Amino acid sequence: MNIKEIAKKLNLKTISTPPIESILNTDITTVYTGDLLSDVMGNAPEECIFVTIQAHKNTIAVATLKDCPAVIICNNRSIPDDMKEAAANENIMLYVTEKNQYTISGQLYELLDK
């Protein structure tokens, strides 16, 4: 399933402006949920969707290291401008959801485990 389909099915709010069409068509097979960025750096699989509550530009740096095409920020956290800019510069789709990490991770599991 590609990022565009995932975002639509989960009703994610797109923060990236403009959306990056080539990234939206990226197929996703796995997800990593974590808030401790060093853990994500050490354990997240390459090219996964990264789910977190860490709403700052260092999150984008970690996503870049792991070649994550998309980051989902949970709990409706506000996104600072420098994070938006970093995501745009690194061609990473950035989303926000009001759902918590447990809920969005479970929904992603259901979508991808078919």
Side-chain angles (χ1 to χ4, degrees):
M1 180 172 294
N2 69 35
I3 293 172
K4 186 176 187 176
E5 295 167 325
I6 291 169
K8 183 177 181 180
K9 287 183 187 251
L10 297 180
N11 197 31
L12 301 175
K13 180 181 176 189
T14 303
I15 301 301
S16 301
T17 53
I20 307 155
E21 288 300 321
S22 62
I23 300 299
L24 291 174
N25 294 319
T26 302
D27 284 325
I28 297 297
T29 60
T30 190
V31 175
Y32 198 82
T33 301
D35 297 322
L36 184 59
L37 296 180
S38 60
D39 173 69
V40 177
M41 287 189 311
N43 296 299
E46 300 286 320
E47 301 176 354
C48 67
I49 286 184
F50 176 18
V51 177
T52 188
I53 61 167
Q54 295 294 337
H56 51 77
K57 69 179 182 175
N58 290 343
T59 302
I60 300 303
V62 171
T64 301
L65 287 172
K66 300 306 283 190
D67 292 325
C68 298
V71 174
I72 301 172
I73 305 297
C74 296
N75 297 338
N76 222 15
R77 298 224 175 187
S78 60
I79 308 301
D81 290 339
D82 62 345
M83 184 180 193
K84 294 175 192 175
E85 184 179 323
N89 289 341
E90 296 296 339
N91 293 322
I92 294 173
M93 288 300 300
L94 186 56
Y95 297 99
V96 170
T97 181
E98 73 282 352
K99 299 168 188 162
N100 63 34
Q101 294 128 296
Y102 175 80
T103 301
I104 202 74
S105 296
Q107 290 175 338
L108 283 162
Y109 178 83
E110 289 294 318
L111 286 176
L112 300 177
D113 191 47
K114 295 187 182 207

